[in-house]
Amino acid sequence: MELLEQYIREKGVVKKGNVLKVDSFLNHQMDVHLFSEMGREWKRLFADAPINKILTIEASGIGIACIAAQLFEVPVVFAKKAQSINIDGEVYASKVQSFTHKRVYDVIVSKKFLSPDDHILVIDDFLANGCAVNGLLDIIEASGATLEGVGIAVEKGFQEGGKLLRERGVRLESLAIVDAMDAKTGELTFRH
Amino acid sequence: MELLEQYIREKGVVKKGNVLKVDSFLNHQMDVHLFSEMGREWKRLFADAPINKILTIEASGIGIACIAAQLFEVPVVFAKKAQSINIDGEVYASKVQSFTHKRVYDVIVSKKFLSPDDHILVIDDFLANGCAVNGLLDIIEASGATLEGVGIAVEKGFQEGGKLLRERGVRLESLAIVDAMDAKTGELTFRH
């Protein structure tokens, strides 16, 4: 998606350790005009899918998921990263390894909000090793719901998450795929 | 706000310990049609304020903040609840006591995203003791930005957060204020 690539080129910062900082528009400060255009693109790409719910994971997936949900006219459910006393006992749970925070955490979704009747679009901001998305797919499978596809803002194409999802037959639509990045020069190579 | 009160009456659940569960439409599953109407109401209430940025706190404030931000045509910044390696060193920080999780955590915002030129609307889903909002106000004060007001979805009027903010002269617009709730009967009393 041209507009997202332009934002990444102009406002993204490549850091050591394969870190791509997009915190000025995607996941700390959030540019809702861009999010709206991203939502429109996912709506176009998944126009034929009978999606009735969007599933994302806290925290930085929530904004893009909510704005996309307005275009799909469906509710959003976000998976939570820790057990809260405000969550009922009955939850679907999965374990996720965080690339950013270098730890393992539990991801949970209340059983009230996923059922075999649901057709789910998963939305998240980043896809690297795919751990967060795989946690969400585990939860969808446990619920009996149908996975219609996965919409990602920025995929790191040089890490294996996207490749493994496509090999499993998951319909994956990443709006920008970074195939290479150089922390010294700041150079970015996008897949087209 | 009539529509939000109707959602709370029809879909909210009053639990022991002053817990009002609104997780089927506000903060686990999210009804973006309702969020859009809430954003419209805040836009009407703050029409005269020169707001150029919305500040919220992860996780459940992000969805309502992003959808409101579309109507205000401004970016959103969300405060993060823990130090991440993806945040630059320079942050504004405050400590917040969580009512829900019964612990103290750090709340941080990168200094890049708040400046003395900013006119901030704070948005959050719940106001009870006001700890989260007070943490955000500390951060705004430290940045030199101007606080234009606070928009809350559900205020628990029988806890002191709202009262203390109003006494400080903060322009607070809560879309629903619950003055009393009864866990045995499920009865809710709204302030009008």
Side-chain angles (χ1 to χ4, degrees):
Chain A
M1 181 189 174
E2 181 59 33
L3 182 66
L4 179 59
E5 290 181 12
Q6 191 183 322
Y7 267 76
I8 296 169
R9 282 192 199 282
E10 289 175 8
K11 302 171 193 232
V13 180
V14 182
K15 297 225 163 192
K16 278 187 299 187
N18 281 336
V19 173
L20 175 59
K21 283 180 73 73
V22 288
D23 61 353
S24 65
F25 60 95
L26 195 65
N27 53 19
H28 186 10
Q29 183 165 257
M30 300 183 287
D31 186 314
V32 295
H33 168 70
L34 171 67
F35 287 13
S36 181
E37 293 303 315
M38 287 164 52
R40 230 177 291 278
E41 182 66 2
W42 281 317
K43 178 67 184 158
R44 189 183 69 79
L45 291 164
F46 290 105
D48 60 317
I51 291 158
N52 75 329
K53 197 166 277 189
I54 289 177
L55 179 66
T56 187
I57 184 167
E58 65 171 325
S60 42
I62 296 174
I64 48 179
C66 280
I67 287 181
Q70 289 187 302
L71 297 159
F72 283 90
E73 299 181 72
V74 299
V76 174
V77 172
F78 71 88
K80 302 195 174 196
K81 282 182 178 166
Q83 187 86 30
S84 149
I85 59 163
N86 266 7
I87 296 253
D88 280 338
E90 288 280 303
V91 298
Y92 299 112
S94 180
K95 289 202 184 296
V96 168
Q97 169 100 39
S98 167
F99 175 75
T100 310
H101 299 90
K102 302 197 185 308
R103 63 187 181 87
V104 175
Y105 53 87
D106 289 302
V107 167
I108 57 175
V109 174
S110 170
K111 289 187 179 176
K112 290 184 294 188
F113 304 132
L114 286 177
S115 83
D117 295 335
D118 285 325
H119 290 257
I120 307 290
L121 173 63
V122 169
I123 296 269
D124 205 3
D125 58 338
F126 257 97
L127 177 65
N129 293 310
C131 298
V133 168
N134 283 323
L136 296 181
L137 300 199
D138 288 347
I139 282 171
I140 291 168
E141 196 179 343
S143 76
T146 303
L147 174 69
E148 292 292 338
V150 176
I152 296 290
V154 184
E155 177 183 338
K156 288 174 166 172
F158 52 88
Q159 289 182 255
E160 66 182 350
K163 180 170 168 282
L164 294 176
L165 285 173
R166 291 184 184 93
E167 283 173 4
R168 281 171 61 183
V170 172
R171 184 171 173 185
L172 171 63
E173 297 289 0
S174 301
L175 301 185
I177 303 178
V178 179
D179 265 341
M181 55 191 205
D182 186 323
K184 279 183 195 140
T185 63
E187 201 183 342
L188 288 155
T189 309
F190 291 100
R191 188 183 305 173
H192 288 124
Chain B
M1 182 189 174
E2 181 58 34
L3 182 66
L4 179 57
E5 290 182 12
Q6 190 184 322
Y7 267 76
I8 296 169
R9 282 191 200 284
E10 289 175 8
K11 302 170 192 236
V13 180
V14 181
K15 296 225 165 191
K16 278 188 298 187
N18 281 336
V19 173
L20 174 60
K21 284 181 71 78
V22 288
D23 61 352
S24 65
F25 60 95
L26 195 65
N27 53 19
H28 185 12
Q29 183 165 257
M30 299 183 288
D31 185 313
V32 294
H33 168 69
L34 171 66
F35 287 12
S36 181
E37 294 302 316
M38 288 164 52
R40 227 178 292 277
E41 181 67 1
W42 281 316
K43 179 67 183 158
R44 188 181 70 79
L45 292 164
F46 289 105
D48 60 317
I51 291 157
N52 75 329
K53 197 167 275 189
I54 289 176
L55 179 65
T56 187
I57 184 166
E58 65 172 327
S60 43
I62 296 174
I64 48 177
C66 280
I67 287 181
Q70 289 187 301
L71 297 159
F72 284 89
E73 299 181 74
V74 299
V76 174
V77 173
F78 71 87
K80 302 195 173 196
K81 283 184 178 164
Q83 188 85 32
S84 149
I85 59 163
N86 266 7
I87 296 254
D88 280 337
E90 289 280 301
V91 298
Y92 299 112
S94 180
K95 290 204 181 296
V96 168
Q97 168 100 39
S98 167
F99 174 75
T100 311
H101 299 91
K102 301 196 188 307
R103 63 186 181 89
V104 175
Y105 53 86
D106 289 303
V107 167
I108 57 175
V109 173
S110 170
K111 290 187 178 176
K112 290 185 293 187
F113 304 133
L114 287 177
S115 84
D117 295 336
D118 286 324
H119 290 256
I120 306 292
L121 173 62
V122 169
I123 295 268
D124 205 4
D125 58 338
F126 256 97
L127 177 64
N129 292 311
C131 298
V133 168
N134 284 323
L136 297 181
L137 299 200
D138 288 347
I139 283 171
I140 291 168
E141 196 179 343
S143 76
T146 303
L147 174 68
E148 292 292 339
V150 176
I152 296 291
V154 184
E155 177 183 338
K156 288 173 166 173
F158 53 87
Q159 289 182 256
E160 66 181 352
K163 180 169 168 284
L164 294 175
L165 286 172
R166 290 184 185 95
E167 282 173 3
R168 282 172 61 183
V170 171
R171 184 170 171 185
L172 171 62
E173 297 289 0
S174 301
L175 301 185
I177 303 178
V178 179
D179 266 340
M181 53 191 207
D182 186 324
K184 278 184 196 140
T185 63
E187 200 182 345
L188 288 155
T189 309
F190 291 100
R191 188 184 306 174
H192 287 121

